[in-house]
Amino acid sequence: MTRSERQELIDKGLLLPLMEEFYTIQGEGYHKGTAAYFVRIGGCDVGCHWCDVKESWLAELHPPTETHKIVENAVKYSDTIVVTGGEPLTWDMTELTNQLKAKGVQTHIETSGAYKLTGTWDWICLSPKKLKLPTEEIYTKAHELKMIIYNKSDFKFAEEQAAKVNSHCKLFLQPEWSKRDKVVPEIVDYVMANPKWKVSLQTHKYLNIP
């Protein structure tokens, strides 16, 4: 296969840069505690300095993998498939989700929303970043807003983002892992004063699972 032929398949979503895939327990947000199969797609230019999977940023490091093979493997393990990254919306998710839905499974995505929303999703977890804000379209479709709290200025940013999502969107504040000891008390106080928010923790890290 030539480079241009491979790129054409990537552009169509028939090949995706697969970083890793694993069956585990969803550790964060609304679906925490739920068994799910995770598909981590490489490639992200949002560049959060506290990102805990920086190895996902360069798509070239991860092999272009046939989408149908990703689907065939994923559905062996779970009826809930979580697509994450990196930033999965860097790529066209239409083909991946069409194939997953044809298998009758639930499709979830974790995204910064910085790129055009593609694909068919049963659950959209939107986690906006200051460096590259979400598209206007995704605010109306997000099921869950997960705001990462690194310092006190992030509470203001969280409120700005909450003002943009739809009225049914679930609102979560989650401590950045390396700052958790400092910011958890601040988050607890904030949620008690503003109960429209809920606390999200990275429980998979406490459980020492992927």
Side-chain angles (χ1 to χ4, degrees):
M1 184 187 302
T2 67
R3 181 175 295 183
S4 62
E5 287 172 336
R6 183 171 60 197
Q7 188 59 51
E8 184 178 352
L9 292 176
I10 291 172
D11 292 343
K12 291 179 178 178
L14 295 170
L15 288 176
L16 292 169
L18 179 65
M19 177 182 167
E20 60 180 345
E21 50 188 338
F22 49 93
Y23 185 44
T24 189
I25 301 296
Q26 170 62 273
E28 304 176 5
Y30 185 80
H31 291 283
K32 67 181 181 297
T34 303
Y37 194 78
F38 281 71
V39 175
R40 188 181 302 280
I41 305 297
C44 182
D45 64 357
V46 178
C48 303
H49 64 90
W50 40 256
C51 176
D52 56 4
V53 280
K54 290 181 179 175
E55 60 271 29
S56 71
W57 290 4
L58 292 177
E60 309 83 63
L61 297 179
H62 309 295
T65 305
E66 294 177 22
T67 299
H68 74 88
K69 290 183 178 179
I70 297 174
V71 171
E72 287 171 5
N73 193 48
V75 298
K76 293 176 186 176
Y77 294 89
S78 181
D79 60 4
T80 300
I81 312 301
V82 181
V83 181
T84 186
E87 175 42 71
L89 291 181
T90 303
W91 318 100
D92 189 340
M93 292 285 105
T94 305
E95 188 63 33
L96 176 63
T97 56
N98 282 351
Q99 292 187 31
L100 286 170
K101 295 308 293 179
K103 298 288 187 179
V105 300
Q106 295 285 300
T107 55
H108 295 197
I109 188 171
E110 298 178 347
T111 177
S112 69
Y115 291 95
K116 178 184 176 183
L117 180 62
T118 55
T120 301
W121 304 103
D122 296 295
W123 193 265
I124 297 171
C125 174
L126 174 63
S127 187
K129 306 300 185 292
K130 296 175 184 175
L131 296 171
K132 203 161 190 174
L133 294 174
T135 64
E136 289 301 317
E137 172 194 20
I138 201 167
Y139 287 116
T140 64
K141 297 183 177 180
H143 301 92
E144 172 182 352
L145 179 70
K146 184 174 68 183
M147 301 302 302
I148 308 303
I149 304 299
Y150 183 83
N151 56 42
K152 286 190 175 182
S153 71
D154 291 326
F155 290 107
K156 180 176 183 294
F157 181 56
E159 291 292 353
E160 291 169 353
Q161 296 302 295
K164 295 184 177 184
V165 295
N166 66 81
S167 60
H168 301 292
C169 189
K170 310 296 185 183
L171 306 179
F172 289 92
L173 298 176
Q174 178 171 299
E176 195 280 319
W177 182 251
S178 70
K179 297 288 186 179
R180 63 192 182 280
D181 291 341
K182 179 179 185 299
V183 301
V184 163
E186 296 173 356
I187 291 174
V188 168
D189 288 345
Y190 194 89
V191 170
M192 291 177 71
N194 301 273
K196 68 180 181 182
W197 293 96
K198 295 182 180 180
V199 178
S200 173
L201 296 174
Q202 292 180 293
T203 57
H204 55 292
K205 293 187 177 181
Y206 290 100
L207 295 171
N208 196 31
I209 59 176

